[in-house]
Amino acid sequence: MQQIKDYSGSVHGGLGHLLHNYCEENGLPISAKLASIQQAERFDFSIWREILNEIYEVHPQPALGLEIAQWVKPQHLGIIAYIALSCDNLAEALTRYHEYHRLIYDGTPLAVDLEQGVFSVRWEDLPMHLSTQITDEIAMALLVEFLKRYAGIEHLHIQEIHFRFPAPKNIAIYERFFQSKVKFSQPHVKLTFPIQLLQAPIKQADQTLQKLLMQQAQDLLSRLPNNTQIDERLQQAILIGIQRHNYQIQTVAEQVGMSVRQLQRHLQNQGDTYQQRVQEVRKLLAIQYLQDPYLSLHEISLLLSYSEQSAFQRAFRQWMKMTPQQWRIQHHIRT
């Protein structure tokens, strides 16, 4: 791959909250730079590196990036934590992570490979001055924590972990964290595990997020104008379809146990169309997502399966006669 020149990335604002929480819980000083990003939706990757270096200077712990990653909570990850719970297996969760990882951590390009019975996730090369041992540690550790906690895969069998930096004195810290063989001074930062693990089911272990999704489903069902059994199944199928970016009428009709023609006739008898039902679900989900101050409008548009943020904003204005930003201001949602 061609070397990246003058690469400038950014970091999800929730990771700034993660560092703030870590410092508070460990009695570390909150630097002016760390305090200045607490209201930021995103901030420069260079500031991320600098704050991590500041923390290391006052708290020079070995494998600091691994230690920080263990404090991660769903709100620090934003959209990825929501999407994880809509996946069926590890393959789907990793596909989503690959699609959206830059929304969390736009520090290094991510590549995935399948070869010789092994699946690998690899961070591509960057000039050495743009990454550090700590940024590499936390990038890898956040992915592993995401898979274990929010994809619910308790026994994540990792074959090998590769880091670019030289081997530290205490390699055992890394082997305990990853429960795997760890190699240093490697060409790439990389994680590998058996292809068979891709079929590992998502257990939805995080009760907070699972409860949120269940509340969404129940709220949607309770607001149906015609609360029949068919309508309940239809609303659930549309909800799941939107979360999985697959809500075409053919797919949803099959989940409801009807043909497309039967579903269209059912909706026609109620004076509705399929697209109206989809927009109804989107509207209710949008209002719930807007109440989460950690989700940006771009992330919410992705969660609602809009290809562009502008499309979401136009739809919201039609629903509510105001913009999403105005709705948040009116309801005192601080972002």
Side-chain angles (χ1 to χ4, degrees):
M1 180 176 177
Q2 184 177 358
Q3 186 78 349
I4 300 172
K5 296 181 180 179
D6 300 324
Y7 182 85
S8 178
S10 62
V11 175
H12 178 55
L15 292 184
H17 304 147
L18 168 62
L19 297 186
H20 193 282
N21 292 350
Y22 176 80
C23 289
E24 277 192 330
E25 294 294 333
N26 288 276
L28 304 178
I30 306 297
S31 70
K33 191 168 294 182
L34 178 55
S36 70
I37 62 168
Q38 292 310 298
Q39 300 302 320
E41 186 175 294
R42 301 193 68 82
F43 56 95
D44 289 347
F45 183 70
S46 59
I47 296 176
W48 169 251
R49 291 197 316 272
E50 291 166 9
I51 294 173
L52 286 171
N53 288 336
E54 288 178 348
I55 294 173
Y56 183 77
E57 288 176 6
V58 299
H59 189 61
Q61 297 294 308
L64 178 62
L66 309 188
E67 183 177 324
I68 292 173
Q70 294 179 73
W71 292 80
V72 70
K73 295 179 180 178
Q75 61 263 35
H76 300 139
L77 298 179
I79 189 175
I80 289 292
Y82 286 85
I83 289 175
L85 288 182
S86 70
C87 297
D88 286 328
N89 52 42
L90 176 59
E92 188 179 355
L94 280 171
T95 298
R96 294 287 181 251
Y97 192 90
H98 182 245
E99 289 174 353
Y100 300 127
H101 78 279
R102 292 182 64 194
L103 293 177
I104 301 176
Y105 192 86
D106 186 21
T108 21
L110 192 68
V112 293
D113 296 301
L114 276 170
E115 55 182 354
Q116 299 179 345
V118 172
F119 184 89
S120 68
V121 179
R122 183 180 76 250
W123 281 262
E124 295 286 6
D125 287 330
L126 282 177
M128 290 303 292
H129 73 279
L130 289 178
S131 63
T132 66
Q133 175 176 331
I134 302 176
T135 62
D136 285 352
E137 287 173 355
I138 202 165
M140 185 74 82
L142 283 174
L143 173 57
V144 171
E145 289 295 294
F146 162 75
L147 294 176
K148 286 182 177 179
R149 294 197 202 180
Y150 308 119
I153 300 174
E154 299 171 0
H155 305 291
L156 184 65
H157 175 51
I158 302 171
Q159 285 193 333
E160 283 189 353
I161 296 286
H162 291 188
F163 283 109
R164 293 192 301 169
F165 56 85
K169 292 181 179 179
N170 193 346
I171 296 177
I173 296 177
Y174 296 84
E175 293 177 339
R176 281 197 303 271
F177 181 90
F178 294 110
Q179 293 292 296
S180 168
K181 183 177 181 180
V182 182
K183 292 184 176 181
F184 299 88
S185 299
Q186 299 298 306
H188 303 284
V189 179
K190 185 170 74 171
L191 168 153
T192 63
F193 46 77
I195 289 178
Q196 295 87 337
L197 193 63
L198 291 175
Q199 298 308 311
I202 302 301
K203 297 181 180 179
Q204 300 188 353
D206 184 79
Q207 296 302 310
T208 302
L209 287 180
Q210 188 175 9
K211 184 178 179 182
L212 174 62
L213 293 179
M214 291 300 294
Q215 286 175 340
Q216 288 175 350
Q218 292 304 316
D219 286 347
L220 291 171
L221 292 176
S222 67
R223 300 182 195 188
L224 278 173
N226 300 286
N227 197 9
T228 67
Q229 191 175 47
I230 293 176
D231 288 307
E232 288 184 7
R233 297 203 308 269
L234 175 59
Q235 204 82 343
Q236 288 175 332
I238 293 174
L239 174 67
I240 293 170
I242 288 174
Q243 291 171 339
R244 294 182 176 177
H245 303 270
N246 182 18
Y247 57 94
Q248 288 77 12
I249 190 170
Q250 294 88 347
T251 302
V252 170
E254 183 178 339
Q255 292 177 356
V256 175
M258 305 173 73
S259 69
V260 171
R261 181 171 295 181
Q262 287 173 325
L263 177 56
Q264 288 174 330
R265 188 180 302 119
H266 170 77
L267 293 173
Q268 186 178 13
N269 290 338
Q270 296 181 348
D272 271 346
T273 66
Y274 180 70
Q275 189 57 33
Q276 285 173 330
R277 285 296 180 91
V278 170
Q279 292 301 89
E280 181 181 89
V281 174
R282 277 175 157 168
K283 174 184 173 182
L284 295 173
L285 283 176
I287 290 171
Q288 292 199 12
Y289 288 139
L290 284 169
Q291 295 176 57
D292 186 340
Y294 295 100
L295 286 175
S296 69
L297 296 184
H298 180 55
E299 290 172 326
I300 292 173
S301 68
L302 291 175
L303 284 168
L304 298 176
S305 286
Y306 284 105
S307 58
E308 296 179 355
Q309 180 179 325
S310 59
F312 161 55
Q313 290 178 305
R314 284 194 302 271
F316 194 87
R317 184 185 286 273
Q318 289 177 347
W319 302 330
M320 309 299 293
K321 310 305 179 188
M322 66 179 72
T323 67
Q325 299 97 319
Q326 289 169 337
W327 189 94
R328 274 181 157 167
I329 292 170
Q330 186 179 97
H331 291 81
H332 309 290
I333 308 297
R334 296 186 62 185
T335 58

